Amino acid sequence: VSMPGSVRMAVPGAVHGALRTLCLAALLGALAARGTELTLELPDSAQRCFHQELESGIKFTLDYQVISGGHYDVDCYVEDPNGKTIYQETKKQYDSFSHHTEVKGVYTFCFGNEFSTFSHKIVYFDFQVGDEPPILPDMNNRVTALTQMESACVTIHEMLNAVIDSQTHYRLREAQDRSRAEELNGRVSYWSVGETLILFVVSIGQVMLLKSFFTEKRPSSGGAGS
């Protein structure tokens, strides 16, 4: 009678340990599956290029968005190792591009701001290479008792990916809205200073004009002697 009880006490600990392992793997998979993220400053009349060596038959995805500067637009193009342009867009605020490589070599993607003569741009991009790996390679060989927990961990993994994407989206929106608010605040401040100066000059002019109306003009001494 005591042995079944001991078995019942051992199973929850093993199950909880396996659940923690699966959930930790789901968390690490959600974090490790992300590609290279970078926020860069793009000066006026400038271009920035990045290079990545890829194998053939690999999928990569490029997501980018202009956070601040000018009309929030930028040029972007992607070239394969043979110099062939596989993607090109002009004056885009944001976009996403996916491609399966056909040849092995160095792929180049560039952001251009040559059309702008005085506006600096802040550009965010996310470069992902390959498909997301499974949570656990030997998941299909697991015992049947853990199937429900594995399904729960897969759901957690997908939710973590959704949370990461949402956080990135809202972080970019917050940065873009902050840039617009600061730009609007600067314009309002300059306009207020200009109005203050104009009002000051007009006030002085009115005072001098009114003073000239009440100033008595004395006759010249030459006219009095004659």
Side-chain angles (χ1 to χ4, degrees):
V1 180
S2 61
M3 290 185 64
S6 63
V7 172
R8 285 196 298 270
M9 293 299 292
V11 170
V15 170
H16 291 164
L19 179 60
R20 288 194 297 269
T21 302
L22 287 174
C23 292
L24 179 60
L27 176 60
L28 294 178
L31 297 178
R34 309 304 297 173
T36 301
E37 297 182 64
L38 184 64
T39 302
L40 61 99
E41 181 179 0
L42 192 60
D44 54 283
S45 304
Q47 179 176 277
R48 293 283 179 86
C49 294
F50 300 86
H51 310 275
Q52 179 66 42
E53 185 174 0
L54 301 174
E55 300 290 335
S56 60
I58 298 296
K59 177 185 176 181
F60 69 86
T61 302
L62 175 64
D63 299 321
Y64 64 91
Q65 179 177 343
V66 181
I67 300 177
S68 65
H71 296 285
Y72 300 89
D73 52 359
V74 71
D75 295 340
C76 180
Y77 70 88
V78 181
E79 290 184 351
D80 63 6
N82 297 327
K84 177 182 177 182
T85 302
I86 57 179
Y87 171 82
Q88 184 173 8
E89 291 290 342
T90 58
K91 296 184 178 181
K92 295 283 290 188
Q93 294 184 353
Y94 58 89
D95 202 5
S96 178
F97 171 70
S98 298
H99 180 73
H100 284 83
T101 60
E102 299 178 355
V103 294
K104 177 183 177 181
V106 178
Y107 286 75
T108 303
F109 58 98
C110 299
F111 300 99
N113 193 31
E114 293 92 342
F115 57 87
S116 180
T117 56
F118 58 88
S119 296
H120 284 56
K121 307 290 177 62
I122 303 296
V123 182
Y124 162 85
F125 73 87
D126 182 10
F127 188 76
Q128 300 182 8
V129 179
D131 296 324
E132 183 179 351
I135 300 177
L136 290 177
D138 57 345
M139 183 176 295
N140 296 328
N141 298 327
R142 291 280 180 174
V143 295
T144 307
L146 298 179
T147 302
Q148 184 176 1
M149 287 183 293
E150 289 175 353
S151 301
C153 288
V154 170
T155 303
I156 294 175
H157 176 72
E158 294 176 352
M159 294 177 64
L160 286 174
N161 284 333
V163 169
I164 292 174
D165 293 338
S166 298
Q167 287 179 340
T168 301
H169 171 73
Y170 287 118
R171 186 171 68 251
L172 294 176
R173 288 292 301 272
E174 189 274 337
Q176 191 177 56
D177 293 341
R178 178 184 295 272
S179 176
R180 290 181 177 177
E182 291 178 352
E183 181 181 359
L184 181 60
N185 180 57
R187 292 183 179 182
V188 171
S189 299
Y190 291 144
W191 181 258
S192 300
V193 171
E195 284 186 334
T196 302
L197 293 177
I198 293 175
L199 182 62
F200 184 72
V201 172
V202 171
S203 300
I204 294 179
Q206 289 179 345
V207 170
M208 295 181 64
L209 182 62
L210 291 175
K211 185 177 179 180
S212 65
F213 290 158
F214 296 99
T215 301
E216 181 180 359
K217 298 182 177 179
R218 296 180 180 180
S220 59
S221 58
S226 61

